[in-house]
Amino acid sequence: MAHTKLTKMDTVENITLNIGGFPFKITKDAICRLPNFTAMSNKTEYSFDRPRQCFDAIYNYCVLGKLHIPPTVCTGEFLEELDFWGVKAEKLEKCCHHRYVLFMREQENLRGFINCTEKEEDQNDAAEKFQNNGAKSRLWNILDNRDRKLETKGYFVLSTAVILLAIFGVALSTVSLTLENNNTALNSGQASTIGTTEYTTPMLSTTGAGWMNESNKNGSKFSEEKMFSNSAREKVLSMRDADPDTRWFLYVEHFTNAFFTMELIARLVCCPSLARYFRGYLNLVDIIVLVASFGRYIVLLADMTGSSTNADPLLYLQMLRVLRLLRIIENVPAFKILCYSVRLERKDLMTMLLFLFMGMLLFSNFLYFVEDNEDFPSIPDAWWFSIVTMTTVGFGDMVPKTAVGRIIGAMCALSGVLFISLTIPIFVNTFQSLYLYASFKSNRL
C-alpha cells in the first residue's frame, strides 16, 4: 500500500495502532519516535499483524522515551520488531545492555560455529565425491569412523581396545619395573624409599651459570635440580631387564606398534587428499607417536649391542603415547565443540594467563625477600608457590612462615580466585551455548 507523509497532523490528536487485535493510542508527537511508520492523511487507525508483547515495550518507549527488553520475550524477536519499526538498539536503557550484548555475542559465536561445521561437511562431501575407487572410499570410511555401519563400529571398538592396551601395557610395565628395582635395592642393602615422599622443584640444571653458583652459596638447591629425576632407561622396561613374568609387556608393545603401523599405512593409501591429511593435527600426532615408538626399538637395539649411545631423548618421547586417546574422542561432538570454544575464546584465556603470570612474578618477588632462604631459596622457587596458590592447588611443599609472608600468600590466593572466576564463566557460557545447539540439531536429525 502506498503511503504518503501525514500533512494534516495538526487536526489529528491521537493515532490508533491496532497491534495483534489490541488498540494502542499514540499522540502525534510520540509517533515520531517510530521512523518506519508513515501515516496517511485523514486516517487515524492502522492495523498491524505484529506480536503484541514486543509492541508493549515499543509503546512505552513512544510514550515515556525509555526502551526496555521485556523479560518474557526472546531477545532476537524483540530486535526484529525494533528493526521493523525503525528503532535502533542503541536506544535501549543501560539495564538491558548486558542482555543485548550477551545475545549478540552468542549469535556471532553460533554463526561462526555453523560456518565452520558446514565448511567441514562440504570438504568431506567434496573429498568423497572425487574418490573414484569404491573400495578405498569404503575403507577410509571405516578407518575414519565416518558412518554408523556395523563394520565401522566394530573397527572403532577394535582400535579403541588396542589404544587402551598400548597405554595400560606401558603403565603396568612400570609397576613391575619399580617392584623389581626395589627388590634389587633391598637385596643390595640399600635403604628403600617406599612410603616416603621427597618434594623437589623440577627446574633445569644449569650449574655452569655464575648466578646459579652464587645462589647455591646462599643455600639454594636450584643448581642441584634437573629437569628429569633420573635416566629414562631406569624407567622403561627393556629386554635386559625383562624376565619371563614381564616379557609379555614387550610382546604387547610389539603387537600394538604393528597395528598402528598398518593403520597408518592404510590411512595414507585410502585418504582422499594427502595434503589435507597432513594438515590435520591428530594425524600429525599419530605419526609423531609412531616415530616415538620406533625410537624405543632403537634403544632396545642399543642395549642388546652394548652401545653407550645416549638415547634418553627417544625414550622421553614415550610419554606421547597417551595422545592416541585423542583419536578415540575425535568424532565426539563435545570434543569438537570444546576445541572450537578454546579457539574462539583464546583472547580471554590468554588474558587470564597474563594475569596469572603477572601475579606469579609479583608475589614470588615479595615472598623471596620476606621469607627465609631455607623456605624460599630463590625467586624461581617462589614461582612454584605462587602458581600453585593462585590456581588453588596448594601442594603444601612450600609455605610462608612469617606474618607478612602469610598476608602475601593470602593475597596471592584471593587474586588467583578472582582472576580465574572472572574469565572461566565466559568460556563456559560459550561452550554451553554451542553444545546445546549441537544437541538440538542432532535430536532433530
Side-chain angles (χ1 to χ4, degrees), residues 166-181 184 230-254 257 292-293 295-304 311-312 314-316 318-319 321:
I167 294 175
F168 285 101
V170 175
L172 294 177
S173 68
T174 59
V175 174
S176 62
L177 186 63
T178 303
L179 294 176
E180 182 179 352
N181 292 336
T184 303
N230 51 13
S231 175
R233 292 174 181 267
E234 300 177 8
K235 294 188 174 183
V236 179
L237 186 65
S238 63
M239 294 296 295
R240 179 184 56 189
D241 302 323
D243 54 26
D245 295 331
T246 60
R247 195 179 298 273
W248 70 273
F249 289 113
L250 297 177
Y251 297 152
V252 169
E253 183 177 0
H254 300 336
N257 288 338
S293 300
R296 171 99 159 88
Y297 292 113
I298 297 177
V299 177
L300 292 176
L301 182 62
D303 289 340
M304 295 177 63
D312 281 358
L314 295 177
L315 293 179
Y316 289 134
Q318 302 303 305
M319 66 181 72
R321 293 170 182 261

Side-chain angles (χ1 to χ4, degrees), residues 307-352:
S307 175
S308 59
T309 303
N310 184 12
D312 281 358
L314 295 177
L315 293 179
Y316 289 134
L317 293 177
Q318 302 303 305
M319 66 181 72
L320 300 178
R321 293 170 182 261
V322 295
L323 295 180
R324 288 198 177 104
L325 290 173
L326 297 177
R327 181 64 69 182
I328 299 177
I329 61 177
E330 175 186 8
N331 296 313
V332 177
F335 177 71
K336 294 182 179 180
I337 297 173
L338 178 62
C339 295
Y340 182 80
S341 300
V342 172
R343 184 176 61 181
L344 193 64
E345 303 295 340
R346 59 185 180 275
K347 292 183 179 179
D348 296 324
L349 294 177
M350 290 301 298
T351 302
M352 182 190 68

Side-chain angles (χ1 to χ4, degrees), residues 6 12 24 27 43 64 68 75 81 117-120 151 160 192 232 287 290 293 318 341 377 396 400 407 424-425 441:
L6 184 62
V12 179
F24 293 86
T27 63
K43 187 175 181 180
L64 303 176
H68 297 272
T75 306
E81 199 66 17
T117 54
E118 289 179 350
K119 183 179 179 180
E120 183 179 355
E151 56 270 23
T160 301
S192 175
I287 296 174
L290 191 60
S293 300
Q318 302 303 305
S341 300
I407 294 175
I424 293 300
K441 184 178 179 181

Side-chain angles (χ1 to χ4, degrees), residues 95-388:
C95 59
C96 297
H97 284 178
H98 172 73
R99 186 175 174 185
Y100 170 74
V101 172
L102 183 62
F103 173 80
M104 297 302 295
R105 180 169 183 169
E106 289 181 352
Q107 292 301 307
E108 183 181 359
N109 295 341
L110 188 58
R111 284 193 298 268
F113 179 72
I114 293 175
N115 293 335
C116 182
T117 54
E118 289 179 350
K119 183 179 179 180
E120 183 179 355
E121 292 175 357
D122 293 340
Q123 291 178 351
N124 294 335
D125 294 340
E128 293 178 359
K129 181 178 180 181
F130 289 101
Q131 187 72 28
N132 297 325
N133 194 326
K136 292 173 62 176
S137 177
R138 182 72 197 107
L139 182 58
W140 172 253
N141 291 336
I142 295 175
L143 293 173
D144 210 43
N145 193 25
R146 290 183 175 272
D147 54 45
R148 299 183 178 180
K149 295 184 178 180
L150 181 60
E151 56 270 23
T152 304
K153 294 181 179 180
Y155 181 79
F156 177 77
V157 172
L158 175 62
S159 61
T160 301
V162 174
I163 291 174
L164 296 178
L165 180 63
I167 294 175
F168 285 101
V170 175
L172 294 177
S173 68
T174 59
V175 174
S176 62
L177 186 63
T178 303
L179 294 176
E180 182 179 352
N181 292 336
N182 290 332
N183 293 332
T184 303
L186 291 175
N187 294 333
S188 60
Q190 299 177 359
S192 175
T193 59
I194 300 177
T196 62
T197 304
E198 180 182 358
Y199 295 102
T200 58
T201 306
M203 299 294 183
L204 181 64
S205 176
T206 53
T207 56
W211 69 277
M212 287 296 181
N213 292 332
E214 186 68 23
S215 177
N216 190 34
K217 293 178 182 179
N218 295 330
S220 173
K221 297 181 180 180
F222 184 84
S223 61
E224 299 175 359
E225 295 165 350
K226 52 187 178 180
M227 182 170 293
F228 300 103
S229 60
N230 51 13
S231 175
R233 292 174 181 267
E234 300 177 8
K235 294 188 174 183
V236 179
L237 186 65
S238 63
M239 294 296 295
R240 179 184 56 189
D241 302 323
D243 54 26
D245 295 331
T246 60
R247 195 179 298 273
W248 70 273
F249 289 113
L250 297 177
Y251 297 152
V252 169
E253 183 177 0
H254 300 336
F255 167 75
T256 56
N257 288 338
F259 178 86
F260 294 132
T261 302
M262 292 186 294
E263 183 187 43
L264 178 61
I265 294 175
R267 284 178 177 271
L268 294 176
V269 171
C270 301
C271 68
S273 173
L274 287 176
R276 186 185 169 204
Y277 181 84
F278 285 107
R279 286 197 301 267
Y281 69 94
L282 284 180
N283 301 325
L284 295 179
V285 167
D286 282 341
I287 296 174
I288 293 174
V289 172
L290 191 60
V291 170
S293 300
F294 281 107
R296 171 99 159 88
Y297 292 113
I298 297 177
V299 177
L300 292 176
L301 182 62
D303 289 340
M304 295 177 63
T305 58
S307 175
S308 59
T309 303
N310 184 12
D312 281 358
L314 295 177
L315 293 179
Y316 289 134
L317 293 177
Q318 302 303 305
M319 66 181 72
L320 300 178
R321 293 170 182 261
V322 295
L323 295 180
R324 288 198 177 104
L325 290 173
L326 297 177
R327 181 64 69 182
I328 299 177
I329 61 177
E330 175 186 8
N331 296 313
V332 177
F335 177 71
K336 294 182 179 180
I337 297 173
L338 178 62
C339 295
Y340 182 80
S341 300
V342 172
R343 184 176 61 181
L344 193 64
E345 303 295 340
R346 59 185 180 275
K347 292 183 179 179
D348 296 324
L349 294 177
M350 290 301 298
T351 302
M352 182 190 68
L353 294 178
L354 177 61
F355 287 154
L356 291 176
F357 180 74
M358 293 175 58
M360 179 192 73
L361 297 180
L362 179 66
F363 293 114
S364 61
N365 185 71
F366 290 160
L367 285 171
Y368 173 71
F369 288 101
V370 170
E371 296 293 324
D372 294 334
N373 287 342
E374 295 181 357
D375 300 324
F376 291 84
S378 64
I379 292 181
D381 287 313
W383 291 348
W384 172 252
F385 169 82
S386 299
I387 197 65
V388 299

Side-chain angles (χ1 to χ4, degrees), residues 41-97:
S41 59
N42 302 324
K43 187 175 181 180
T44 60
E45 186 173 351
Y46 302 86
S47 297
F48 296 91
D49 190 13
R50 307 296 301 180
R52 183 184 64 86
Q53 290 183 337
C54 293
F55 192 79
D56 285 339
I58 298 176
Y59 175 76
N60 292 333
Y61 167 69
C62 293
V63 175
L64 303 176
K66 295 184 178 180
L67 183 61
H68 297 272
I69 302 177
T72 59
V73 174
C74 173
T75 306
E77 181 184 9
F78 184 72
L79 293 178
E80 291 179 358
E81 199 66 17
L82 291 182
D83 184 67
F84 175 81
W85 294 103
V87 181
K88 296 183 179 180
E90 288 78 5
K91 301 294 184 178
L92 286 169
E93 293 297 313
K94 294 181 179 180
C95 59
C96 297
H97 284 178

